Amino acid sequence: MTQTPAPLLAPRLASVLGRIDADLDGALARLIDLLSIPSISTDPAYKADCARAADWLVADLRSFGVDAETIATPGHPMVMGHVDGPKDKKTPHLVFYGHYDVQPVDPLNLWASDPFAPAVETTAKGRMIRGRGASDDKGQLMTFVEACRAWVAENGALPCEITFFFEGEEESGSPSLVPFMNEYKERLKGDVALICDTGLFGHDTPAIVTMLRGLMGEEIVIKAADKDLHSGMYGGPSQNPIRVLTRILAGLHDDTGRVTLDGFYDGVPELPADVAAQWQVLGFEHEAFLGEVGLSQPAGEHDRTALEMIWSRPTMEFNGIIGGYTGDGFKTVLPAQASAKVSARLVGTQDPHKIRESLRAYVEAHLPADCTVEFHPHGASPASVMETTHPAFEATRQALSDEWPNEAAFIGCGGSIPIAGYFKKIVGVDALLTGFARDDDAIHSPNEKYDLECFHKGMRSWARILDAVSQG
Amino acid sequence: MTQTPAPLLAPRLASVLGRIDADLDGALARLIDLLSIPSISTDPAYKADCARAADWLVADLRSFGVDAETIATPGHPMVMGHVDGPKDKKTPHLVFYGHYDVQPVDPLNLWASDPFAPAVETTAKGRMIRGRGASDDKGQLMTFVEACRAWVAENGALPCEITFFFEGEEESGSPSLVPFMNEYKERLKGDVALICDTGLFGHDTPAIVTMLRGLMGEEIVIKAADKDLHSGMYGGPSQNPIRVLTRILAGLHDDTGRVTLDGFYDGVPELPADVAAQWQVLGFEHEAFLGEVGLSQPAGEHDRTALEMIWSRPTMEFNGIIGGYTGDGFKTVLPAQASAKVSARLVGTQDPHKIRESLRAYVEAHLPADCTVEFHPHGASPASVMETTHPAFEATRQALSDEWPNEAAFIGCGGSIPIAGYFKKIVGVDALLTGFARDDDAIHSPNEKYDLECFHKGMRSWARILDAVSQG
């Protein structure tokens, strides 16, 4: 694909871009309002805040003519909205997905400011919106909403049929998502699904993600004695669940960084030569990628590049561990239990359920006498490889290339965005994933931010995409 | 040693025992008052409470004529008290040691009642005093104080010179103890040191502990990236401190339960045949000992008995571990750090400092690229083997045998009571350790208790010991 010169803008697009530029402060104020709601979905203490964020979105969509509502689920509510397309012209039906819930904020002491008192900061790296959810995913979600608002304001109506679909459980394993999509399949059946929860490639290169890793999460709780014991009185002949757990976890990787579970690599393909060649062109440098977070050398599987490990290799990671006395000072206790949260990122056709079974069998096989184990599953989604044949993919690639300094790329993504697979499997619709996050946005970490440039150019990108895909 | 028939009681002892029996409710009320002070020494939030407990003891000692005071240290205050012995008779100078600080109470949700709202409960196993410190060590310490109070009330003065010495940092590694004992060496120089911080052997057999394990505590903090990372974006090529830590900890024991550290077993003696024979007679059953806490089979070193492992073998245990997301739900984070509290119980002439160095060298040798480690030491004391030649040992053994159903035994103890070694090394005084805790007292655990019988017979035991050792 050779780069074409930037086309002359259609008047309907030019006016929308102009309005987006002029109303940046308004868009920022709305985003800050949404960011100030602590919609942490994984923590039951924030249930009412999640509902409040959903209601906020419904009110905002209605403010520019979208027929919007919340729909209750056993967990947090979904937000659905709809506008018809023009009657006189054949245009695609777009279904836009984002999520309004956010990650927990601990460790809170590492935040330089209140995560739910968002603000625009001017730094040496430019202006940025600081706060939990600024990038993942409220800021990204609002780039699309703002583009639509500007479009309606300038052109009286959106250029095509659009269904808005916002979830509130993405950061907590999406327990209600599959049943909901099955029940509301007909309303979600568009021509293409747009998902805005990914990032730029490097600083200035927009990207469409066509490979996503899957995810299998499991909590493992090892128990031994029926109470915490004194390590002087009992240390030696008594089982110590921390010792049992660390030994079990340590056995999950061999000395070359490979996962040892039976069948773990079943369905893991070698990277096709053409994809490897595309990625080669991107000029990814692990020194820069890792250097950004204070690291320098690729860990993990020996003889694999860092980019391969992130985009096309599976992992088994330990996301949390706790047991015994963890406060200040020292307590010579043998704890009654210890637990770990473990997750695998999956690629190819790895089966999350089989991997969960294999993990459980391994743990049980390594459990010494007098120990018991409890398992708590947290999500299971296979990897996805997108089809990119729908014309919206090429139109979007061109629109993104027009807005950003560099041409847009089709790339892989190490994260797991199960919704993409569900759109394909449940609704039969291809998912187009694009977004404007940067690697240093610190999503899921303290001091999350979203560059003002990304927010601004993100809105402008969506305006261009709406224009491009609705040319008919 | 054959058991002699219980001797006729001297009148001065008979009246003291009678008063102890008659004033049990008064003694209980005083203990409950002391137990209600949350003197958790390891947690800086309770600093004022530790001072309050020290002041309480000073006031209580003064109430029956002891010349008592608190003495400030860089940490929590020491309590010192003194009474002269009779001028007309040669009697020994006893130095009594106990500690007024207590362990933390987490996990608080496992307590059936407020740990600092102590109360006497009537249960199927008898009446017991429930609360943090009931057994370790406030209840034990007060058995001696109450015996002295009753002695003074009945006989007008104590039967020999006594120095009271109460510490407030025993549960947090005793940072001020050695400097203090060096400074106040002259005041602590008695004929024998009495330490009441140990237990009965089995249910009804009083014991004098003659072997104590040492302790070396170390906190290990592993750090990698400069912030928590998203396991999707970074999982694979980025170091995960939980993975690094679990692998390091898992390498500390081999498959036979032995510690792998270089030089760890230097100075670990095989049990002398005569001691092994004495222990054999005690009829220790690991099924009963472990069954008490919900376990059944000895873990730890293969081919060692449970009693050997507790009394005469060293251990390396993990007392606490934490890293990443440990709240409800799931968070796919690669944490910036993970840490563990590790402690070794030491025997023979194992050198705690050499073992700390060996542990640190091992951790550093196994640290992958991009990881750093911080070490925080928490205490270092070698094991002790007591000399039992002072006549107070045999007098005490006889006095204990008179009070309890079974004859008193000389035994080992898995716990670490560094003060015993310090009395010998710094002050040059042999330490006699006896106490009345039971194995099911749940010291260091939720729902700690002290049997009313132990408190009552403990006071009576000390009255008998005071009588026996001051016969002159």
Side-chain angles (χ1 to χ4, degrees):
Chain A
M1 193 73 46
T2 55
Q3 177 138 23
T4 51
L8 283 177
L9 291 182
R12 69 171 192 172
L13 173 58
S15 67
V16 171
L17 295 179
R19 173 169 282 262
I20 287 171
D21 295 348
D23 189 32
L24 183 57
D25 285 348
L28 268 175
R30 286 183 288 272
L31 175 56
I32 282 175
D33 204 30
L34 176 58
L35 291 174
S36 68
I37 305 173
S39 47
I40 301 171
S41 59
T42 201
D43 187 338
Y46 295 91
K47 190 171 172 58
D49 296 299
C50 291
R52 198 148 57 89
D55 291 341
W56 188 98
L57 284 165
V58 166
D60 193 56
L61 291 175
R62 286 179 180 166
S63 75
F64 59 94
V66 180
D67 179 17
E69 61 180 330
T70 58
I71 301 179
T73 74
H76 303 298
M78 302 288 180
V79 173
M80 291 277 281
H82 187 262
V83 285
D84 288 327
K87 299 235 184 321
D88 55 347
K89 189 175 158 191
K90 179 151 176 50
T91 56
H93 173 193
L94 305 178
V95 179
F96 178 87
Y97 167 92
H99 65 88
Y100 66 79
D101 63 319
V102 298
Q103 281 275 319
V105 294
D106 59 283
L108 195 56
N109 63 315
L110 295 185
W111 284 79
S113 56
D114 182 340
F116 297 110
V120 177
E121 291 176 15
T122 302
T123 77
K125 287 180 159 186
R127 295 179 72 197
M128 47 190 66
I129 308 148
R130 182 86 62 189
R132 173 55 90 224
S135 176
D136 182 17
D137 183 46
K138 289 171 174 171
Q140 302 245 61
L141 173 165
M142 289 302 288
T143 58
F144 186 79
V145 171
E146 293 294 344
C148 291
R149 186 196 322 276
W151 196 285
V152 172
E154 290 299 321
N155 297 315
L158 285 163
C160 61
E161 182 179 359
I162 298 181
T163 296
F164 298 83
F165 174 31
F166 302 143
E167 185 194 3
E169 301 180 331
E170 201 273 345
E171 302 293 6
S172 54
S174 296
S176 310
L177 187 61
V178 169
F180 183 88
M181 290 183 77
N182 273 303
E183 188 172 347
Y184 289 86
K185 196 184 309 193
E186 289 312 312
R187 286 167 68 172
L188 295 169
K189 192 163 281 178
D191 295 295
V192 64
L194 306 175
I195 300 175
C196 190
D197 199 14
T198 53
L200 301 172
F201 180 80
H203 197 264
D204 287 318
T205 305
I208 297 169
V209 171
T210 62
M211 289 174 68
L212 277 169
R213 290 198 290 190
L215 182 66
M216 186 285 303
E218 184 85 349
E219 187 166 358
I220 300 168
V221 185
I222 307 276
K223 300 186 178 191
D226 58 17
K227 60 169 86 66
D228 285 0
L229 305 176
H230 185 298
S231 78
M233 284 177 65
Y234 288 93
S238 306
Q239 290 292 356
N240 179 336
I242 302 178
R243 241 174 96 176
V244 174
L245 180 64
T246 54
R247 208 169 167 83
I248 284 175
L249 294 182
L252 280 168
H253 297 89
D254 69 16
D255 289 341
T256 70
R258 279 175 69 90
V259 176
T260 58
L261 285 184
D262 275 352
F264 184 77
Y265 290 96
D266 290 354
V268 177
E270 284 303 314
L271 194 62
D274 60 327
V275 178
Q278 274 182 43
W279 290 0
Q280 193 63 39
V281 174
L282 292 172
F284 175 90
E285 288 176 350
H286 73 248
E287 294 83 355
F289 175 75
L290 293 173
E292 192 90 23
V293 296
L295 301 173
S296 67
Q297 298 180 41
E301 288 181 276
H302 297 191
D303 306 323
R304 299 282 176 183
T305 70
L307 196 63
E308 246 187 304
M309 284 195 271
I310 296 168
W311 286 356
S312 68
R313 296 293 301 173
T315 66
M316 174 74 72
E317 290 291 356
F318 310 147
N319 308 111
I321 191 166
I322 189 165
Y325 183 68
T326 58
D328 283 345
F330 214 89
K331 187 173 166 182
T332 51
V333 68
L334 298 183
Q337 73 169 56
S339 63
K341 296 182 204 274
V342 169
S343 65
R345 297 280 172 180
L346 308 177
V347 303
T349 58
Q350 279 181 297
D351 180 336
H353 302 289
K354 280 193 184 156
I355 287 171
R356 189 190 308 288
E357 290 316 308
S358 180
L359 174 63
R360 290 181 175 187
Y362 161 81
V363 173
E364 279 167 352
H366 289 80
L367 212 57
D370 287 336
C371 290
T372 58
V373 60
E374 282 174 15
F375 297 108
H376 302 282
H378 288 275
S381 60
S384 316
V385 177
M386 315 299 150
E387 286 191 45
T388 56
T389 49
H390 190 284
F393 281 84
E394 179 50 28
T396 297
R397 206 196 59 76
Q398 189 56 55
L400 289 167
S401 301
D402 292 345
E403 175 63 25
W404 294 83
N406 298 332
E407 196 171 357
F410 286 141
I411 67 168
C413 172
S416 303
I417 309 184
I419 180 73
Y422 299 149
F423 266 117
K424 185 72 184 178
K425 195 167 156 192
I426 299 173
V427 189
V429 174
D430 289 322
L432 186 160
L433 297 99
T434 194
F436 315 100
R438 281 184 169 140
D439 285 349
D440 65 352
D441 278 357
I443 67 169
H444 294 210
S445 295
N447 303 314
E448 179 177 349
K449 61 87 179 165
Y450 197 38
D451 288 343
L452 190 56
E453 183 188 33
C454 295
F455 184 56
H456 187 188
K457 290 178 89 67
M459 295 188 279
R460 289 175 53 96
S461 296
W462 284 119
R464 290 180 186 276
I465 293 167
L466 288 176
D467 181 56
V469 302
S470 64
Q471 294 293 345
Chain B
M1 195 71 47
T2 56
Q3 179 137 24
T4 52
L8 284 178
L9 290 183
R12 68 171 192 172
L13 173 57
S15 67
V16 170
L17 295 178
R19 173 170 282 264
I20 286 171
D21 296 347
D23 188 33
L24 182 56
D25 285 348
L28 267 176
R30 287 183 287 272
L31 175 56
I32 282 176
D33 203 30
L34 177 59
L35 291 174
S36 68
I37 304 173
S39 47
I40 302 171
S41 59
T42 201
D43 187 337
Y46 295 91
K47 189 170 173 59
D49 295 299
C50 291
R52 199 148 57 87
D55 291 340
W56 188 98
L57 284 164
V58 167
D60 193 55
L61 292 175
R62 287 178 179 166
S63 73
F64 59 93
V66 180
D67 178 18
E69 61 179 331
T70 58
I71 301 179
T73 74
H76 303 297
M78 302 287 180
V79 173
M80 291 278 280
H82 187 261
V83 285
D84 289 328
K87 301 235 181 320
D88 56 347
K89 189 175 158 190
K90 178 151 177 53
T91 56
H93 174 193
L94 305 178
V95 180
F96 179 87
Y97 166 91
H99 65 89
Y100 66 79
D101 63 320
V102 299
Q103 281 276 319
V105 295
D106 61 283
L108 195 56
N109 62 315
L110 295 186
W111 285 79
S113 57
D114 182 340
F116 297 109
V120 177
E121 291 176 15
T122 302
T123 76
K125 288 178 156 185
R127 294 179 73 196
M128 47 191 64
I129 308 149
R130 181 87 62 188
R132 174 54 90 223
S135 176
D136 182 16
D137 184 46
K138 289 172 174 172
Q140 300 244 65
L141 173 164
M142 288 301 289
T143 58
F144 186 80
V145 172
E146 292 294 344
C148 292
R149 186 195 324 275
W151 198 284
V152 172
E154 290 298 320
N155 298 315
L158 284 163
C160 59
E161 181 180 1
I162 297 182
T163 296
F164 297 83
F165 174 31
F166 303 142
E167 184 192 4
E169 300 180 333
E170 200 271 347
E171 302 293 6
S172 53
S174 296
S176 309
L177 186 62
V178 169
F180 183 88
M181 290 182 77
N182 273 305
E183 188 171 348
Y184 289 86
K185 198 184 308 194
E186 290 312 313
R187 285 167 68 173
L188 295 169
K189 194 163 278 182
D191 295 294
V192 65
L194 306 175
I195 300 175
C196 191
D197 199 15
T198 52
L200 302 171
F201 180 80
H203 198 264
D204 288 316
T205 306
I208 298 169
V209 171
T210 62
M211 290 173 67
L212 276 169
R213 290 197 290 190
L215 182 66
M216 185 286 303
E218 184 86 348
E219 186 166 358
I220 301 169
V221 185
I222 307 275
K223 300 185 177 190
D226 58 17
K227 59 169 87 65
D228 285 2
L229 304 176
H230 186 298
S231 77
M233 284 176 66
Y234 288 93
S238 307
Q239 290 292 357
N240 178 337
I242 301 178
R243 241 173 95 178
V244 174
L245 180 64
T246 53
R247 209 170 167 83
I248 284 174
L249 294 182
L252 280 168
H253 297 87
D254 69 16
D255 289 341
T256 70
R258 278 175 70 90
V259 176
T260 58
L261 285 183
D262 275 353
F264 184 78
Y265 291 95
D266 290 355
V268 177
E270 284 303 313
L271 195 61
D274 60 327
V275 178
Q278 274 180 44
W279 290 0
Q280 192 64 38
V281 174
L282 292 171
F284 175 89
E285 288 177 350
H286 73 248
E287 294 83 355
F289 175 75
L290 293 173
E292 192 91 24
V293 295
L295 301 173
S296 67
Q297 298 182 41
E301 286 182 277
H302 296 190
D303 306 323
R304 299 283 176 183
T305 70
L307 196 64
E308 247 187 303
M309 284 194 272
I310 296 168
W311 286 356
S312 68
R313 296 292 301 172
T315 65
M316 173 73 72
E317 290 292 357
F318 309 147
N319 308 112
I321 191 166
I322 189 165
Y325 183 69
T326 58
D328 283 347
F330 214 90
K331 186 173 166 182
T332 51
V333 68
L334 297 184
Q337 73 169 57
S339 63
K341 297 183 205 273
V342 170
S343 65
R345 297 281 171 180
L346 308 177
V347 303
T349 58
Q350 279 181 296
D351 180 336
H353 302 289
K354 280 195 183 156
I355 286 172
R356 189 191 308 288
E357 290 316 308
S358 180
L359 174 63
R360 290 181 174 186
Y362 161 80
V363 173
E364 279 167 352
H366 288 80
L367 211 56
D370 288 336
C371 290
T372 58
V373 61
E374 281 175 14
F375 298 107
H376 302 282
H378 288 275
S381 59
S384 316
V385 177
M386 314 299 149
E387 286 191 46
T388 56
T389 49
H390 191 283
F393 283 82
E394 180 50 27
T396 297
R397 207 196 59 76
Q398 189 58 54
L400 289 168
S401 301
D402 291 345
E403 175 62 26
W404 293 83
N406 299 332
E407 195 171 356
F410 287 141
I411 66 169
C413 172
S416 302
I417 308 183
I419 180 73
Y422 299 148
F423 267 116
K424 185 73 184 179
K425 194 169 159 191
I426 300 172
V427 190
V429 173
D430 290 320
L432 185 159
L433 296 100
T434 193
F436 315 100
R438 282 185 169 139
D439 285 347
D440 64 353
D441 278 357
I443 66 170
H444 295 210
S445 295
N447 304 313
E448 179 176 351
K449 61 88 179 165
Y450 197 40
D451 289 344
L452 189 56
E453 182 188 33
C454 294
F455 185 57
H456 185 187
K457 289 177 90 68
M459 294 188 281
R460 290 175 52 98
S461 296
W462 285 120
R464 289 179 186 275
I465 292 167
L466 288 176
D467 180 57
V469 303
S470 63
Q471 293 294 344

